[in-house]
Amino acid sequence: MALEEKREKRPPVTPMMIEEEAALRNGSRGLPPGPWAEAAGPRPRTTERHIAVHKRLVLGFAVSILALLAVTMIAVMLSVRFEECGAAADGPPRAGGNGSLSGAARQPPGAGQPPGRPEEEVRGGEAAEEEEEEEEEEWQRRRELPPWARPRLPRHLRPLHYNLMLSAFMENFTFSGEVNVQLEVRNASRYIVLHAHRMHIDAVRVAEDKLAGGVRVARTFFYPQTQVFVVVLNRSLEVQRSYNLKIIYNALIENELLGFFRSSYVLHGERRFLGVTQFSPTHARKAFPCFDEPIYKATFKISIRHQATYLSLSNMPVETSVFEEDGWVTDHFSQTPLMSTYYLAWAVCNFTYRETVTKSGVVVRLYARPDAIRRGSGDYALNITRRLIEFYEDYFKVPYSLPKLDLLAVPKHPYAAMENWGLSVFVEQRILLDPSISSILYLLDVTMVIVHELCHQWFGDLVTPVWWEDVWLKEGFAHYFEFVGTDYLYPGWNMEKQRFLTDVLHEVMLLDGLASSHPVSQEVQQASDIDRVFDWIAYKKGAALIRMLASFMGHSVFQMGLQALKRVGKSVNIQEVMDQWTLQMGYPVITVLGNETTDNIIVISQERFVYDRDTKPKDPARGDNSYLWQIPLTIAVGNTSHISSEAIIWVSNKSEHHRIPALEEASWLLGNINQTGYFRVNYDIRNWRLLINQLTRNHEVISVSNRAGLIDDAFNLARAGYLPQNIPLEIMRYLSEEKDFLPWHAASRALYPLDKLLDRTENYNIFNEYILRQVASMYLKLGWPTNNLNKSLVQASYQHEELRREVIMLACSFGNKHCHQQAATLISDWISSNRNRIPLNVRDIVYCTGVSLMDEDVWEFIWMKFHSTTAVSEKKILLEALTCSDDRNLLNRLLNLSLNSEVVLDQDAIDVIIHVARNPHGRDLAWKFFREKWKILNARYGEALFMNSKLVSGVTEFLNTEGELRELKNFIKSYEGGAAVSFSRAVETVEANVRWQRLYKEELFQWLRKSLTQ
């Protein structure tokens, strides 16, 4: 969910700091549519979830995980350890004066003055300026940055409790607030430095304990560079004393995606508005002055005043509601357990809800638009949430810690969801589901987002980071448990053993195979670096490494936590092994070569895998040859009818010789059994030929996971030049007999980038014809699904229906005539009868194919249906279908409409631009539109994790000509601000595309011509 930036610095090994947090106990308590339907692409699952780690946790991936699991098993509540601070006092400001917000927000009656004492006003004038100049000189003499200019808040104060009172004015989208912060003084200082951004401070008061006497405020000022507000006192605060900081302020309920922002929906022709928060990672400071770093955990008591036509929600239940005669009500919420600011949350809306209760008494409610609740669109999410809470309570042996969990479905949100403790917020497309018009794929997507967010209620909300460097650990856990939790709900789907490979492992290895990748554990020195740690390397590589560790430890031992140290630690130093995987970027390719001179001896070598080996390394002092991993290589020997049990070889050198028993002349070797390891495996050509022959004769000797793995490895090894271009296409030939979904899915995903490299070339029809031949027989065998409007979404076999969908997608995408005719017939029937009888699981394919093949009237019909439907799942695929047109005028029209928030939701506009870029008829249009509208796009999405990087990648990843590469480089030279890391990765990707065109395109076409004439 973040922009990526990479570093080569390696933090020192630091033990994980985990302490008891008894106070927590006191609180009452999908994959998206496939690429051929133009709907592939990573989905951000959340912003953040939180593991208590020291600021440079590199003790080792495994030790950290095992410690966490052990702690959860014994139900010890965790807390952060504050860093020790020096005794030096903090210094003066560089400049005075209050920050301001244009257009002061309306305040509630009586706000602004505490009883019996006026607020301290900001002092200025010549005397203050002279004092500032003297103090500036003092800081210069000391050669130190003043505390407000440092990237982290000074450690001399610690917030213990916030009492936050808000008044929300939804008629003019403003709010006012009064925050009282109880502070503990750790080091004497005259300065209070805390975060505040984009608000107007009306008054400030500092008082000692609960006594009447106050501490005089000399002046206050904003320091925008670090987004802090500084209170300068006339005397120093005393060590080990407690003080109360009171700030009265006002701000806007912004029309954006972060902080306290507004969204809207239409009900019965009337537009209704709501306000909701998104604070992670650094946006709580936009809603109230606070110590907005995860280390500063405190308790919160929130009160929200709003019009009685609205309701308010927060992390905790409402204790009391006070109704006023003027139609306003104030909701007072229970006090929270200790928590960080970034998963505090509230909302003001006029939604309705449904509820359920878990076996342990946790009240679960789902809030959404009244019409969605009335239709039952939230019932599926509500029911699986109850089951998942019970599953996690049993798995982690820790009860859910709050008395309630609210799920809030909002029309506009920057991410799929955010796991705020007790109030998880979801964008509607990731939680609302109408069984009568939702596909299995959509159900899977909704399920996995919910599984992910609920995992964070344990691995995230119970424990939090001291700082952001190892966010991958908690995100990796939650991403891994998406598959474990979904397997609990649907045991027959085999998500962790199968779908994890294509949706996580194969996907992240594409990104991590770039020279511009970065380690999962990254150094974060300042707030501007935080966004880049929330990316697919953190989420997906983190999950893949956790899965690899669980595999070689054993899943039962993995779950038991620290007991595993006794079993595994005897022969393998887990910390040493996992440090290499977490502190080095990228991953290895293992090459297994037979020894022609000595029987039963093989040579195993490792090197870093990169797609473009001509790319200069990020760190010139360290080339790719210096990378070295300890690799748990599982290996088996097979022949035409049998495969041996696997053995494990720990590969720790650049090249090693190993004896393999029973390695006969006709036997083949297979490495990385079931693809549990995070690496690729290459073989000599002889072994590849034996494997291809085995797949052709009897593919079931090789496991379904390894069949998918062979396909993915072969395509990517060929793309990077490690393997001849024909090998992956030869492997594909066996698919006509493949009855399992996973290998077909792996082939479809691997073909997709190759298709985009070729789809604008003059010989594309040769490649197209070859793929159609491989798909044709299975397409005829499977046929089309029947309309299943009256059947359960999961009644049919998941594997069979997903296989049928994958084959239909490939057939229609590559121009199978029968597939095109069937799609056109189904669309025509819908238009003529105004009844949509298109089978749910292939609607997106039919919509896209129909728009592509048929005239403008079909596009207008889909556009009309997009506007009229209120079902979020249907709305999504209708919008994506509009991008499939061959008409460049319609594509341009859609691009321009995408920036109108009244027509296309902000988070959906990015998908429109990306899907047009994936269309060969619109790629240049989207690229031109992106450059022309960059300032608008960057202003809208620049602060949102994932969104800018997703946009940059989606628009540029399939540019592949020298001219487009020049345009990209020239644009980067001229653009202003934002996404520097994403553009760096984009350049490397396009350079690799151009290199492949230059070196391998003709080799591929020559083989295809020869193959098609045989």
Side-chain angles (χ1 to χ4, degrees), residues 4 42 79 100 106 265 324 495 522 570 574 756 771 829:
E4 296 169 66
S79 71
S100 63
R106 172 183 168 192
Y265 62 98
E324 303 172 15
M495 297 294 294
Q522 296 187 79
K570 292 179 181 179
I574 297 179
K756 296 306 174 189
I771 302 302
D829 175 71

Side-chain angles (χ1 to χ4, degrees), residues 11-17 54-60 64 575:
V13 174
T14 308
M16 187 174 186
M17 312 301 295
H54 191 272
K55 74 171 185 177
R56 291 193 177 185
L57 178 153
V58 285
L59 165 64
S64 304
Q575 175 183 337

Side-chain angles (χ1 to χ4, degrees), residues 339-518:
M339 60 188 294
S340 301
T341 52
Y342 72 92
Y343 54 101
L344 190 71
W346 63 77
V348 178
C349 59
N350 43 24
F351 285 173
T352 54
Y353 69 88
R354 290 191 181 177
E355 75 172 40
T356 186
V357 182
T358 70
K359 293 177 182 177
S360 59
V362 178
V363 177
V364 183
R365 289 179 174 177
L366 188 144
Y367 289 83
R369 292 179 282 112
D371 55 326
I373 292 295
R374 187 170 55 253
R375 285 199 308 268
S377 299
D379 292 356
Y380 173 77
L382 189 66
N383 291 332
I384 68 167
T385 296
R386 173 181 52 79
R387 293 178 59 196
L388 286 166
I389 289 175
E390 295 165 357
F391 164 70
Y392 283 128
E393 287 182 326
D394 178 67
Y395 191 97
F396 296 128
K397 306 304 180 187
V398 178
Y400 179 73
S401 300
L402 300 181
K404 63 94 174 176
L405 173 61
D406 293 333
L407 311 176
L408 179 64
V410 298
K412 182 173 78 171
H413 197 263
Y415 315 119
M418 174 62 201
E419 76 288 355
N420 307 306
W421 206 3
L423 177 57
S424 291
V425 180
F426 297 76
V427 70
E428 288 180 336
Q429 292 176 356
R430 301 305 171 89
I431 193 169
L432 299 182
L433 181 147
D434 187 338
S436 67
I437 53 174
S438 298
S439 66
I440 294 176
L441 202 61
Y442 185 81
L443 176 140
L444 177 62
D445 195 36
V446 167
T447 301
M448 296 182 75
V449 173
I450 295 170
V451 173
H452 182 111
E453 301 310 323
L454 290 184
C455 181
H456 277 310
Q457 299 291 320
W458 281 263
F459 277 95
D461 293 347
L462 278 178
V463 286
T464 52
V466 171
W467 194 233
W468 300 102
E469 289 163 329
D470 289 279
V471 70
W472 68 272
L473 192 54
K474 62 186 181 62
E475 290 301 344
F477 252 113
H479 206 56
Y480 175 64
F481 269 93
E482 288 179 29
F483 298 84
V484 176
T486 304
D487 276 340
Y488 165 75
L489 295 171
Y490 301 106
W493 288 13
N494 293 320
M495 297 294 294
E496 190 270 335
K497 288 184 171 60
Q498 294 191 16
R499 194 78 183 236
F500 185 94
L501 302 183
T502 52
D503 295 10
V504 178
L505 183 65
H506 297 172
E507 189 170 294
V508 75
M509 290 177 98
L510 289 170
L511 183 61
D512 207 20
L514 298 175
S516 57
S517 185
H518 61 79

Side-chain angles (χ1 to χ4, degrees), residues 107 110-121 178 202-203 246 248:
Q107 295 185 31
Q113 297 293 334
R117 184 177 178 88
E119 299 299 334
E120 296 286 354
E121 298 298 334
E178 176 184 310
D202 296 318
K246 179 176 181 177
I248 295 176

Side-chain angles (χ1 to χ4, degrees), residues 606-617:
Q606 63 165 295
E607 63 178 294
R608 182 188 174 196
F609 177 92
V610 287
Y611 283 101
D612 188 349
R613 284 180 279 182
D614 295 337
T615 302
K616 295 179 181 179

Side-chain angles (χ1 to χ4, degrees), residues 15 44-45 83 158 231 423 434 438 549 593 668 715 835:
R45 291 291 185 194
E83 300 171 1
R158 175 184 180 180
V231 180
L423 177 57
D434 187 338
S438 298
L549 179 66
L593 302 175
W668 40 261
F715 270 97
R835 290 188 59 196

Side-chain angles (χ1 to χ4, degrees), residues 42-85:
R43 62 178 182 276
R45 291 291 185 194
T46 58
T47 45
E48 41 283 52
R49 356 297 185 209
H50 341 311
I51 304 294
V53 293
H54 191 272
K55 74 171 185 177
R56 291 193 177 185
L57 178 153
V58 285
L59 165 64
F61 170 90
V63 175
S64 304
I65 293 172
L66 296 172
L68 284 167
L69 287 172
V71 169
T72 58
M73 287 177 61
I74 62 175
V76 175
M77 299 297 103
L78 308 179
S79 71
V80 299
R81 183 181 73 88
F82 273 77
E83 300 171 1
E84 295 301 325
C85 304

